[in-house]
Amino acid sequence: MATTTTTTRVKKKILFVMTTLTVLLGSCSATIYKVGDSDGWSAKDDTYYSWADRKEFHVGDSLVFDYDGNFNDVTQVSGALEYQFCDSSSPKAVYKTGHDVVTLTEPGFYYFISSNHSQCSSGQRLDILVTHDPSRPLPPPPPPTKILPFGKMYKVGDSKGWKVYNSDFYYKWSEEKLFHVGDNLLFEYANEVNDVLEISGDLEFKFCDPTSPIAVHKTGHDLVKLTKPGVHYFISSETGHCDAGLKLRVMVAPALPKFSPIDRFFRWLRTFRHHH
């Protein structure tokens, strides 16, 4: 009799735990959205604005794009100007399977267009704002970032610093240099009348658009570490400054390899033998 009672209690506890987990998992589950619902992903004026306007998107949700992969694609672009002008020349990602599942992994604005300019101009584009859902647990913190190599320090503009000169001054300044991951840019300027904005896209850089910056620096003595390869864009948000040439575009190469003292010795030895 005691054994039967104990077994019943164990079963009740297991049932309680399973029920609790089911409730918790249900409340924390992400939402999957089929873009355009029954219309799918196609060129239809204002369809996707109206479709997205009625929804709240959260980190962890997914978008499903259904379309004919022989005639269409999904191109994720980095900024509002690329979205507005249907510019797919520098995409963040391109999907072409015809049934693409895109998981929203971080908060912020997401922009999707068709790389077919006429279809994008006809309405085949989607922009959404993604936020954290307070009812879901926050994702675990990312693993510690790897230690970047100690790189070179570049004072932007050298002795002239960061201020308005002729329109191609900073283009010429950066063109003469080779930047690598781990290098640092030092911006020195009068912070009462200036600032430094890092922006994401080539169109934002070309048209001096400060509305969606990646980072804003305003101390007057800003040290910016170049943490990843690719193109990095910097402008001033002060009226007229960027249009007058106060903007900087740098191409960053992967980090240079690090050599141990022994490696450096043998490299020197090979060079010594070569010259003798």
Side-chain angles (χ1 to χ4, degrees):
M1 186 69 176
T3 303
T4 303
T5 303
T6 302
T7 302
T8 302
R9 287 176 179 172
V10 170
K11 288 181 177 179
K12 286 182 177 180
K13 286 182 180 180
I14 293 174
L15 181 61
F16 173 78
V17 170
M18 291 178 67
T19 303
T20 303
L21 285 173
T22 301
V23 171
L24 288 174
L25 288 173
S27 65
C28 298
S29 62
T31 304
I32 298 174
Y33 294 97
K34 180 181 177 183
V35 175
D37 296 327
S38 59
D39 289 325
W41 179 241
S42 59
K44 294 188 177 181
D45 190 34
D46 285 338
T47 295
Y48 301 104
Y49 173 81
S50 302
W51 177 84
D53 194 45
R54 302 190 300 268
K55 297 173 176 60
E56 290 186 2
F57 301 94
H58 299 111
V59 172
D61 291 348
S62 296
L63 304 177
V64 178
F65 292 85
D66 271 337
Y67 57 93
D68 186 341
N70 295 315
F71 305 101
N72 212 340
D73 65 15
V74 180
T75 301
Q76 184 177 356
V77 294
S78 58
L81 282 179
E82 282 83 357
Y83 174 82
Q84 181 180 349
F85 292 105
C86 294
D87 178 13
S88 60
S89 59
S90 301
K92 292 184 71 172
V94 178
Y95 306 94
K96 295 183 176 182
T97 69
H99 184 82
D100 306 316
V101 180
V102 180
T103 301
L104 308 172
T105 58
E106 58 186 6
F109 286 97
Y110 286 67
Y111 302 96
F112 302 94
I113 65 174
S114 169
S115 66
N116 184 312
H117 192 275
S118 62
Q119 291 185 197
C120 175
S121 299
S122 297
Q124 193 173 0
R125 50 184 168 179
L126 168 69
D127 71 309
I128 61 173
L129 175 61
V130 178
T131 61
H132 280 296
D133 184 348
S135 68
R136 300 178 196 165
L138 289 174
T145 55
K146 62 182 181 181
I147 299 175
L148 293 172
F150 182 78
K152 292 183 180 180
M153 173 84 71
Y154 294 95
K155 181 181 176 183
V156 175
D158 298 325
S159 60
K160 296 184 181 298
W162 178 246
K163 56 184 176 181
V164 176
Y165 286 98
N166 58 64
S167 59
D168 61 352
F169 175 78
Y170 293 100
Y171 170 77
K172 291 180 177 178
W173 178 85
S174 63
E175 189 181 35
E176 301 167 351
K177 297 170 178 61
L178 182 59
F179 302 93
H180 291 91
V181 169
D183 290 346
N184 295 275
L185 301 178
L186 176 61
F187 293 84
E188 288 194 335
Y189 56 93
N191 63 349
E192 300 88 359
V193 294
N194 212 346
D195 59 14
V196 180
L197 270 64
E198 184 172 2
I199 56 176
S200 60
D202 192 66
L203 280 179
E204 279 82 358
F205 181 76
K206 182 178 180 180
F207 292 104
C208 295
D209 177 21
T211 56
S212 303
I214 298 173
V216 178
H217 308 279
K218 293 185 175 182
T219 69
H221 186 86
D222 304 318
L223 189 63
V224 179
K225 183 176 281 292
L226 303 172
T227 59
K228 58 184 180 181
V231 184
H232 294 242
Y233 302 95
F234 302 91
I235 65 172
S236 169
S237 71
E238 293 298 316
T239 303
H241 285 194
C242 178
D243 291 320
L246 191 51
K247 54 183 179 179
L248 171 68
R249 177 184 183 273
V250 297
M251 177 66 76
V252 180
L256 291 170
K258 295 179 69 177
F259 298 102
S260 68
I262 294 177
D263 291 330
R264 287 198 294 270
F265 171 75
F266 281 110
R267 286 168 65 86
W268 171 83
L269 189 59
R270 285 195 297 270
T271 303
F272 178 80
R273 287 175 177 172
H274 177 74
H275 291 288
H276 295 78

